[in-house]
Amino acid sequence: MEERAFDTGRRPVWCPGCGNYGILIAVRRALAELGLRPEEVVVVTGIGCHGRISDYLKVNAFHTIHGRVLPLATGIKLANPRLTVIGHAGDGDAYAIGLGHLPHAARRNVDITYIVHDNMVFGLTTGQVTPTTPLGVRTKSTPFGNPERPLNPLLLALASGATFVARGFSGDVEHLKELVKQGIRHKGFAFIEVLQPCVTFFNTYKELKEKVYRLEDEGHDPTDFEAALRLAQREDRLPIGVFYKVERPTFEEAFAHAMNPPPALRRLAPPDLSRLLESFR
Amino acid sequence: MDSGEVYVLVAGPAGAGVFASSVIIGKVLLRQGYHVFVTNEYPSLIRGGQQWALVVASPSRPVYSHRRRVDVLVALDRGALLSNIGRLHERAVALCDAADATGDPRVIALPARDVVREEGGPPVAVNTVLVGVLFGMLGGDLETLKGVVRRQFRSREVAELNARLAERGFHLGLQLQGKAPARLAPRGGGGDELLLDGNSALALGLLAGGLTFFAAYPMTPASPILHFLAEVQRDLGIIVFQPESELAAINMAIGAAYAGARAAVATSGGGFSLMVEALGQAAMTETPIVVVNVQRPGPSTGMPTHTAQGDLRFVIHASQGEFPRIVLAPSNPREAYELGCRAMNLAWKYQVPVIVLMDKFLAESYWSTEALPPLRPEEGSVWRGEGGEPYARYRITDTGVSPIAFPGTPGVLVYANTSEHDEYGFGTIDPKTVRAMQEKRFRKLSAIQREAESEGVKTYGDGAIAIATWGSTTMVVREALRELEGVKLVQVVWLEPFPRESFAREVGARRLLIVENNMRGQLASLVREHVLREPEGFLGRYDGRPLDPEEVVEFVKGFAARG
């Protein structure tokens, strides 16, 4: 498969220099290099600038409502585990309105990949604060500075039992592509937080470029949970790469009784209810 | 007492086996050929607090609902006796343990706890002894009783213990036949009949409609649907699951349906409130989904374990924007089964959200029900690669229904979009496309409306007065019809789209009364809107209890007398 097999041919409407371009290219290349066919992949996108990605990725797609990427993607995967399911969400989508689903998806370990486009600001609604906006930053909704400390998504994912926790940078497309490939190949819930600038409302490109470094350059054992917790809290520099990875049974495996074939591939037939009716006699 | 009917009230503290006893009594009567109805009332507590269950049985006619009459009170503690003795008529009796008895001449004190002790049973088993006493006194069949009791317990040892307790009680009861306010006349038959509650019936209907994916967050009084399906999921090879919230439940179900599963969710009004945003999502993405709302009194937390019909206008209008939807309301378990299946088939036929409106009174009451007819799931319009055109999820068609393909189909990409979109699912704000898509979605409505007209209204009896109802209130009014003459009952089964022509035709020139389990008359408001008719009278009840047939009779007679 070639990268362009995953291109719908539509011209993205993102601002020039937007971090979403890097993520889009990384995902297309990852899908191509994994040799996946467009029809066996589903992307689920939320509301926000990131959500447009389903117009540009030539695969099956569900552009859902704000904050519900994870339950939507979970339902798809359970109904047909043969599909490769990738969720895209913004930091507002994933960490504000939809945060309640993240710990559960992580502990459940459903076999999906969750890519969070984190630009630390609401872009599509023209620049309001999100849960990852740094303390004190002025936005349209915090004209006197953000009064809240930002959330640490990596710590949250680690604490919730995610079996694959990674961070990428939209400005390092090749590295991000590798993370996405690893995330898709990982059997279980793969959480990939992607740092990206919003060139219009919170341009962090220069700062991110300076602070980001590859975990593998300084050596990190991704089976070391304690080290992952430590690295996730680092603020002077921002490591990117796989923080933590472990194999655990997936959620789908708990429903083995319903998977032969899975619900989506079942031939429709009247069920035999006679045994169930016995308890009402 | 008239025509061999018997009204038994079992009462006791939560955790004392009130409901289990009522179901045992109901099943024994069913096995003896009786028509049976069982209903209950309880507070939202696990232990303590009084609850009761009423069993009504008739040898000669279907029992549609409760009445105020009580012939026998089975009191499981002193509190139950004190708080329910006021419901007994003069010739009624109350059965209780000697330690709980009062001086009321209708109270029969029994050594029930002694019997439990002698047999080495746990204190809670006193209910089984008293159920035995009941059937001994009424002249029931001991072997039938023991059979039903045994089947109620999973452990063989516990089953045998309880069978012994029932038998001991039965022999005590034989001595009391002179005091019995009623006498059973076993009729045989009843072999195929079920004692079925609304929630289970609805779950069976969803299964008959091809259900393969069910997600629900616990909420009284809808939780028994989740419990039932969770229990049988391995037998049927389906996915049943409790996620973190109603938001997650319905979004998972929509994801599953998009992928090709047959999915449904169930909740009560509060959970439905959380699901509203996703209801619009299902409509905009034209993803089939069935949402069951088992109503309880609101607003807000209201009374979790009580009944109401206050969500009708809410579910008809829930969500922003305009889109076609279907709202169905069963009145009894048989209809809950049929409409549960019908809801699934309609959702997939038209790719619209279908809401089944139940209520606590229907959901947690039991009616003896004839063997359920076999029903079939229908696939709807699934894309099979005809036509040679590239696949478009939202292809504009004459019916408004676009053949649905599921992701994974070779050569097909399926793009579902909650933003307004073109035929292929790509987002659009082009006014011409937007109009075309909105009109496409609403084009389904004419076929749906025809279905509503053909099966949306049921009638019972005839006369110069019409009473319109929906949901379980229909059963209360059917019970009341036994004492009313010149009345035609018009039950609205499809509430949305409203079967306006059928309704207007069935009511005709009759004077129209409306009876509902709410305060403001929500069906009444639909009648004003769709039939342009002001009902001549309205009876509503809004204290969390179902209407009593007696108050319906009084209301209709009072109306008729005024002329």
Side-chain angles (χ1 to χ4, degrees):
Chain A
M1 276 289 161
E2 289 183 47
E3 190 185 324
R4 68 163 188 269
F6 295 94
D7 184 353
T8 58
R10 301 205 156 218
R11 235 181 73 194
V13 293
W14 295 316
C15 308
C18 176
N20 284 329
Y21 289 99
I23 301 175
L24 173 63
I25 293 164
V27 172
R28 275 189 196 145
R29 284 186 191 159
L31 295 173
E33 289 182 18
L34 288 171
L36 291 162
R37 285 176 295 125
E39 64 214 38
E40 62 193 14
V41 179
V42 184
V43 296
V44 181
T45 59
I47 299 299
C49 291
H50 83 275
R52 292 278 179 171
I53 206 167
S54 45
D55 272 8
Y56 316 133
L57 275 173
K58 194 173 173 187
V59 294
N60 298 288
F62 200 122
H63 182 44
T64 183
I65 47 181
H66 198 32
R68 310 299 157 217
V69 169
L70 284 175
L72 226 298
T74 301
I76 294 169
K77 185 70 184 183
L78 281 173
N80 187 357
R82 297 173 200 181
L83 298 169
T84 295
V85 182
I86 304 168
H88 288 268
D91 43 314
D93 212 272
Y95 305 144
I97 196 165
L99 183 73
H101 303 300
L102 177 56
H104 302 290
R107 70 190 175 92
R108 210 169 268 150
N109 200 33
V110 58
D111 183 15
I112 59 178
T113 305
Y114 190 39
I115 300 172
V116 181
H117 302 221
D118 186 359
N119 58 10
M120 303 168 209
V121 74
F122 278 107
L124 194 60
T125 49
T126 71
Q128 297 87 3
V129 70
T130 77
T132 48
T133 308
L135 188 69
V137 169
R138 292 178 186 214
T139 70
K140 279 190 180 161
S141 57
T142 56
F144 310 109
N146 177 18
E148 296 174 292
R149 288 187 57 80
L151 189 84
N152 186 324
L154 294 177
L155 273 186
L156 182 69
L158 288 165
S160 304
T163 54
F164 180 99
V165 178
R167 178 156 66 194
F169 174 41
S170 66
D172 190 346
V173 173
E174 273 305 300
H175 181 261
L176 179 58
K177 177 201 75 186
E178 289 302 322
L179 291 182
V180 173
K181 281 168 68 179
Q182 287 185 60
I184 291 172
R185 274 199 301 253
H186 175 69
K187 213 165 153 302
F189 182 68
F191 174 73
I192 306 175
E193 144 95 354
V194 184
L195 302 171
Q196 66 167 107
C198 171
V199 292
T200 303
F201 295 107
F202 192 45
N203 196 348
T204 51
Y205 184 76
K206 237 182 99 194
E207 188 197 339
L208 289 175
K209 189 84 185 158
E210 279 164 12
K211 289 174 93 173
V212 157
Y213 76 96
R214 293 182 175 190
L215 270 175
E216 49 272 33
D217 290 349
E218 296 193 0
H220 167 60
D221 172 11
T223 64
D224 185 343
F225 188 72
E226 300 294 327
L229 287 175
R230 225 171 25 249
L231 285 162
Q233 295 175 73
R234 202 164 166 185
E235 287 180 1
D236 56 329
R237 299 194 66 202
L238 297 170
I240 56 173
V242 179
F243 283 63
Y244 184 63
K245 186 171 164 28
V246 66
E247 290 283 329
R248 286 204 196 107
T250 64
F251 190 54
E252 303 88 283
E253 289 167 42
F255 295 98
H257 66 267
M259 293 304 180
N260 192 26
L265 304 175
R266 200 82 54 84
R267 265 181 62 117
L268 207 55
D272 179 10
L273 302 177
S274 54
R275 252 168 47 92
L276 304 189
L277 294 177
E278 280 311 302
S279 60
F280 301 101
R281 289 184 200 280
Chain B
M1 286 290 154
D2 58 288
S3 57
E5 290 182 10
V6 58
Y7 292 70
V8 179
L9 186 73
V10 186
V18 170
F19 299 160
S21 303
S22 69
V23 170
I24 289 172
I25 296 168
K27 284 183 174 176
V28 172
L29 290 165
L30 183 75
R31 291 280 75 81
Q32 298 206 222
Y34 277 68
H35 301 276
V36 179
F37 169 73
V38 182
T39 191
N40 61 52
E41 189 176 303
Y42 60 100
S44 186
L45 295 167
I46 301 303
R47 283 295 169 102
Q50 284 290 332
Q51 50 186 222
W52 57 258
L54 177 72
V55 185
V56 182
S58 167
S60 53
R61 55 119 193 157
V63 181
Y64 301 111
S65 84
H66 63 293
R67 289 181 166 262
R68 289 173 182 158
R69 168 177 158 189
V70 175
D71 301 324
V72 183
L73 167 64
V74 177
L76 303 182
D77 75 354
R78 191 174 166 87
L81 182 67
L82 295 176
S83 53
N84 290 289
I85 194 146
R87 297 170 69 174
L88 301 191
H89 56 75
E90 276 178 19
R91 293 178 42 221
V93 296
L95 307 176
C96 65
D97 183 77
D100 298 331
T102 66
D104 190 299
R106 295 168 298 181
V107 173
I108 301 174
L110 295 149
R113 293 202 179 92
D114 292 342
V115 169
V116 172
R117 261 192 300 275
E118 286 161 27
E119 295 292 338
V124 69
V126 70
N127 63 335
T128 309
V129 179
L130 291 175
V131 168
V133 174
L134 172 76
F135 281 102
M137 179 181 77
L138 296 179
D141 180 67
L142 178 60
E143 287 314 309
T144 307
L145 169 64
K146 283 164 70 181
V148 170
V149 167
R150 278 194 192 98
R151 291 184 48 181
Q152 204 68 16
F153 300 92
R154 283 192 187 183
S155 141
R156 203 189 165 87
E157 198 185 333
V158 178
E160 285 311 317
L161 168 71
N162 277 277
R164 279 202 310 281
L165 293 173
E167 182 163 4
R168 295 274 313 262
F170 187 87
H171 290 300
L172 289 172
L174 289 176
Q175 320 298 318
L176 303 172
Q177 288 193 348
K179 294 186 179 180
R183 177 122 197 104
L184 294 181
R187 299 168 55 246
D192 280 345
E193 297 231 328
L194 310 170
L195 187 63
L196 196 54
D197 58 295
N199 271 338
S200 299
L202 186 277
L204 290 164
L206 296 177
L207 291 169
L211 184 79
T212 51
F213 187 102
F214 181 83
Y217 188 78
M219 186 166 188
T220 306
S223 306
I225 300 173
L226 170 63
H227 304 163
F228 178 81
L229 292 171
E231 186 75 28
V232 305
Q233 62 177 320
R234 294 205 167 177
D235 291 339
L236 295 168
I238 64 172
I239 293 177
V240 179
F241 166 56
Q242 177 193 319
E244 60 270 26
S245 64
E246 284 91 350
L247 300 173
I250 189 167
N251 279 285
M252 284 179 185
I254 290 170
Y258 160 81
R262 300 268 283 197
V265 296
T267 184
S268 188
F272 188 89
S273 298
L274 288 177
M275 291 181 176
V276 167
E277 190 186 23
L279 188 75
Q281 162 171 263
M284 185 53 136
T285 60
E286 301 186 54
T287 309
I289 185 80
V290 171
V291 182
V292 181
N293 176 356
V294 185
Q295 297 165 98
R296 67 192 217 189
S300 197
T301 309
M303 289 193 287
T305 58
H306 288 73
T307 200
Q309 295 183 303
D311 295 353
L312 175 56
R313 295 237 51 144
F314 173 44
V315 304
I316 286 176
H317 301 289
S319 172
Q320 71 273 31
E322 301 168 281
F323 56 83
R325 76 186 80 190
I326 296 170
V327 178
L328 308 172
S331 70
N332 60 33
R334 169 72 180 244
E335 286 179 2
Y337 169 70
E338 290 169 348
L339 292 178
C341 178
R342 188 80 175 108
M344 297 292 286
N345 288 338
L346 286 166
W348 268 262
K349 181 175 184 183
Y350 293 108
Q351 300 172 23
V352 297
V354 179
I355 296 159
V356 183
L357 257 188
M358 308 260 291
D359 56 66
K360 187 269 171 188
F361 180 58
L362 163 60
E364 298 195 346
S365 299
Y366 300 74
W367 280 262
S368 51
T369 303
E370 283 175 25
L372 297 174
L375 299 174
R376 298 188 69 84
E378 294 158 13
E379 192 171 55
S381 181
V382 173
W383 194 82
R384 298 267 180 238
E386 308 90 349
E389 288 181 351
Y391 178 70
R393 173 65 191 92
Y394 302 111
R395 179 76 69 199
I396 291 187
T397 62
D398 294 341
T399 59
V401 177
S402 317
I404 191 169
F406 304 115
T409 307
V412 164
L413 293 180
V414 189
Y415 190 1
N417 199 336
T418 58
S419 293
E420 189 56 278
H421 42 260
D422 64 16
E423 286 185 282
Y424 292 90
F426 288 104
T428 186
I429 53 170
D430 170 59
K432 198 164 150 251
T433 311
V434 170
R435 259 199 311 277
M437 295 311 289
Q438 181 71 344
E439 285 162 8
K440 166 198 133 50
R441 289 190 291 268
F442 266 101
R443 207 168 301 137
K444 302 170 185 176
L445 195 54
S446 54
I448 298 173
Q449 182 74 45
R450 280 197 297 278
E451 307 231 28
E453 295 291 356
S454 80
E455 59 189 77
V457 175
K458 284 186 176 179
T459 66
Y460 301 92
D462 205 354
I465 293 175
I467 303 179
T469 60
W470 62 282
S472 67
T473 300
T474 307
M475 298 303 276
V476 173
V477 178
R478 286 175 76 182
E479 183 71 25
L481 285 187
R482 293 178 62 221
E483 287 157 46
L484 293 169
E485 277 176 17
V487 174
K488 179 176 187 176
L489 171 58
V490 181
Q491 175 198 356
V492 185
V493 180
W494 284 53
L495 282 313
E496 172 65 31
F498 195 85
R500 58 178 75 89
E501 286 172 18
S502 315
F503 183 86
R505 192 174 55 244
E506 295 295 351
V507 172
R510 293 169 186 83
R511 291 194 291 162
L512 176 62
L513 305 179
I514 295 186
V515 183
E516 297 180 66
N517 225 165
N518 59 45
M519 184 171 180
R520 308 251 292 174
Q522 300 191 17
L523 172 61
S525 75
L526 292 178
V527 168
R528 286 187 200 101
E529 177 182 334
H530 295 290
V531 192
L532 303 178
R533 217 184 133 162
E534 182 61 35
E536 276 84 6
F538 170 71
L539 175 64
R541 182 159 178 174
Y542 43 90
D543 58 1
R545 277 71 181 175
L547 286 119
D548 295 331
E550 291 88 344
E551 65 190 306
V552 175
V553 170
E554 199 180 321
F555 167 70
V556 177
K557 285 186 172 166
F559 175 79
R562 284 199 303 279

